[in-house]
Amino acid sequence: MAEIRAFRGIRYSIERIGDVGNVVAPPYDVIDGAMQRDLYDAHPNNIVRIIQGTDKAGDSDHENRYTRAAGSFRRWLDDGVLVRDREEGIYLYAQNFDVGTPDGTKNKTRLGIVALVRADALGEGAILPHENTMPGPRADRLALMRHTRAAFGQIFSLYSDPAGQVREIVAPVLDASPLFAFHGADGVGHRFWRVTDQTIVSGVAGALKDKPFFIADGHHRYETAVVYRDECAAAEGEDWQGKPYGYRMQTLVNMDDTEGMAINAIHRVVMDLGAGGIKRLTRGLAELCDVERLPLGNSQSVLRELKRRGGCGTVFGFCHGACSDVHYLRLKSGVRASDLDVESHSAAWRSLDTGLLQLILGRVLDLDPETLTRGEKVKFVKVEREVLDLVKGAPDRAGFFLNPVGMDQLRDVVLAGERMPPKSTFFYPKVYSGLVIQDLQSF
């Protein structure tokens, strides 16, 4: 059972900052060097200086990007750039965005409930993961948490509410003006409200308490929160239950709201196949799959064709060389995915494009799962036209277009006790950091 509670968030003072869009940022893990510089230039108090600070020559254990982050956080509080809300509450976060689909561009609005959720260890409570994590990002986030004793970004999680009960409870708040609104560089609109009406807060908590939460984005931050929880409890010699550091700020989104959810596919490019590698790959694919070859058209036409032929886990688009044609692949009726699966995954896992393709490539190219998933031999590509950019004219590369994962498929894999292959889902848009900050020492 999940425990949801209100808190006194720390937010940017609009009177001091003006446009909140100048000081917030996408989550740390999508900030590359160019974006980091742009965010630094956007405002001297941009949250990037805390969540993804720069390294400097001469950094040491006593002076580094984590100590600088902590210093900036304390200074901004002292200077009134950041202020703590006087009353406990929860927050509403709406994002309005356009998303490309095989049928054209659609406009969507996604609503999230921002609240504290008890930080149960994964597998021991209501919080369920769908991805594996890496030690480097976990260590990075833990160092930041230890120095600042705060959480600046959101864990983006999904819950199931087919009847829309939670949205109905908060509907009166959405009729009022938000605390702030802005548009990101990608054109996504963001609006943010605070809710202190205890009837609404209690109603939301009650409606969510019996639901499992599926982490969509923020696995590293969540696992780090559990480690930090245990460290603090050990240092105090007390149980973490009921302590501020025993909760983690999350943005909770209804996975059944089809008008607000968007999951894009993450495609694959196989690299460094070597001399004769394409022939070997093509021959192996033909042994396992029925193949139909059609003119390429463009990347959007490929996605439309994939959708027409079946959902995730049924068909792939394969291209190589000049990419004038696309080979549509479907597993032969006499070939069972389970026969390719040396690790004995669940049927739900094998029903994913990413899972089935991993099994097929492993068999055809004689590659182990680690090689197929660490991002070197097989590149993960979020934008379909970039598949063509990487493959065209490269004699040792092959591209694979995938259908997006469905919500039911995600749910089935997680409830089967498994985690998806890396880069199976691209939830759009990203949930921004700096909208509200959680103090891990106080509610």
Side-chain angles (χ1 to χ4, degrees):
M1 179 181 292
E3 182 184 343
I4 314 295
R5 68 156 294 152
F7 67 112
R8 292 188 302 139
I10 296 171
R11 295 185 292 108
Y12 281 100
S13 168
I14 298 174
E15 291 74 17
R16 293 286 302 275
I17 293 297
D19 185 358
V20 174
N22 290 329
V23 291
V24 295
Y28 79 102
D29 55 343
V30 300
I31 299 175
D32 59 17
M35 184 185 293
Q36 185 186 42
R37 290 189 294 273
D38 290 343
L39 292 169
Y40 261 74
D41 293 341
H43 198 282
N45 301 117
N46 190 285
I47 200 68
V48 73
R49 297 171 185 266
I50 293 177
I51 64 170
Q52 191 75 330
T54 56
D55 294 316
K56 296 183 179 180
D59 276 354
S60 65
D61 290 342
H62 304 291
E63 175 66 25
N64 52 61
R65 61 191 176 107
Y66 304 113
T67 62
R68 288 189 288 273
S72 294
F73 182 41
R74 289 192 296 269
R75 187 168 60 254
W76 297 354
L77 283 167
D78 291 341
D79 293 346
V81 172
L82 293 173
V83 293
R84 188 189 303 270
D85 284 326
R86 293 181 179 180
E87 298 177 75
E88 290 187 0
I90 61 174
Y91 304 83
L92 306 183
Y93 178 26
Q95 293 171 283
N96 182 261
F97 58 99
D98 291 330
V99 59
T101 74
D103 303 317
T105 301
K106 292 186 177 180
N107 183 260
K108 291 176 173 282
T109 299
R110 188 174 72 195
L111 177 65
I113 308 295
V114 181
L116 299 190
V117 182
R118 190 179 63 227
D120 296 324
L122 296 176
E124 296 180 3
I127 313 299
L128 304 173
H130 84 271
E131 284 184 346
N132 288 306
T133 58
M134 301 295 288
R138 290 198 304 266
D140 168 56
R141 292 301 94 181
L142 183 57
L144 180 64
M145 194 172 287
R146 285 169 174 165
H147 282 81
T148 61
R149 299 183 179 183
F152 304 90
Q154 306 292 324
I155 309 297
F156 172 22
S157 292
L158 309 172
Y159 63 91
S160 179
D161 183 13
Q165 179 185 5
V166 173
R167 187 182 187 96
E168 185 176 340
I169 293 170
V170 302
V173 181
L174 299 174
D175 291 334
S177 297
L179 290 171
F180 57 81
F182 65 93
H183 279 82
D186 56 1
V188 175
H190 303 255
R191 290 172 292 156
F192 205 72
W193 294 261
R194 183 163 69 100
V195 183
T196 57
D197 184 319
Q198 289 306 302
T199 300
I200 296 177
V201 172
S202 297
V204 169
L208 293 175
K209 68 178 181 179
D210 293 326
K211 300 183 182 297
F213 296 147
F214 303 84
I215 298 179
D217 201 1
H219 288 78
H220 291 95
R221 282 166 281 170
Y222 190 82
E223 290 188 7
T224 298
V226 174
V227 172
Y228 183 80
R229 175 203 79 180
D230 292 342
E231 285 185 351
C232 291
E236 292 183 355
E238 297 184 14
D239 191 343
W240 59 268
Q241 296 281 354
K243 299 296 181 67
Y245 55 75
Y247 295 79
R248 184 59 167 85
M249 181 172 62
Q250 299 203 32
T251 293
L252 307 170
V253 172
N254 181 10
M255 66 196 307
D256 298 308
D257 178 13
T258 57
E259 294 305 310
M261 290 303 304
I263 307 180
N264 296 335
I266 302 181
H267 310 287
R268 268 57 174 161
V269 173
V270 184
M271 313 288 287
D272 303 323
L273 285 166
I278 289 291
K279 287 185 178 179
R280 177 189 176 193
L281 175 60
T282 303
R283 185 171 57 249
L285 292 173
E287 291 175 358
L288 296 176
C289 301
D290 293 322
V291 182
E292 185 177 358
R293 184 172 175 175
L294 295 177
L296 170 66
N298 56 42
S299 56
Q300 282 299 309
S301 68
V302 175
L303 299 187
R304 285 194 295 273
E305 189 66 23
L306 288 175
K307 181 180 178 181
R308 185 185 73 80
R309 290 167 176 263
C312 178
T314 58
V315 62
F316 310 101
F318 163 56
C319 64
H320 63 87
C323 294
S324 56
D325 297 316
V326 176
H327 305 253
Y328 291 95
L329 311 174
R330 186 186 298 271
L331 205 62
K332 289 183 175 180
S333 58
V335 178
R336 297 186 304 177
S338 57
D339 292 337
L340 308 176
D341 188 4
V342 298
E343 295 185 309
S344 300
H345 292 287
S346 66
W349 189 96
R350 293 192 296 268
S351 77
L352 304 171
D353 270 15
T354 50
L356 182 56
L357 183 59
Q358 182 177 314
L359 298 179
I360 292 172
L361 292 177
R363 172 65 63 88
V364 171
L365 299 176
D366 192 26
L367 297 175
D368 60 81
E370 182 182 357
T371 301
L372 288 165
T373 58
R374 66 186 176 207
E376 298 170 1
K377 183 71 175 180
V378 179
K379 295 285 187 185
F380 306 120
V381 183
K382 294 179 179 177
V383 182
E384 51 273 1
R385 66 175 178 272
E386 293 180 4
V387 174
L388 302 177
D389 293 340
L390 286 168
V391 172
K392 274 186 178 180
D396 62 343
R397 297 180 183 177
F400 290 87
F401 295 96
L402 281 63
N403 269 308
V405 172
M407 279 294 174
D408 288 344
Q409 290 177 303
L410 182 151
R411 182 168 20 209
D412 290 346
V413 171
V414 173
L415 293 179
E418 289 203 86
R419 302 195 190 193
M420 293 183 176
K423 305 300 180 184
S424 288
T425 55
F426 175 33
F427 288 92
Y428 182 81
K430 293 295 184 180
V431 174
Y432 268 42
S433 298
L435 303 167
V436 62
I437 297 165
Q438 176 193 359
D439 182 353
L440 293 168
Q441 302 176 92
S442 171
F443 290 120

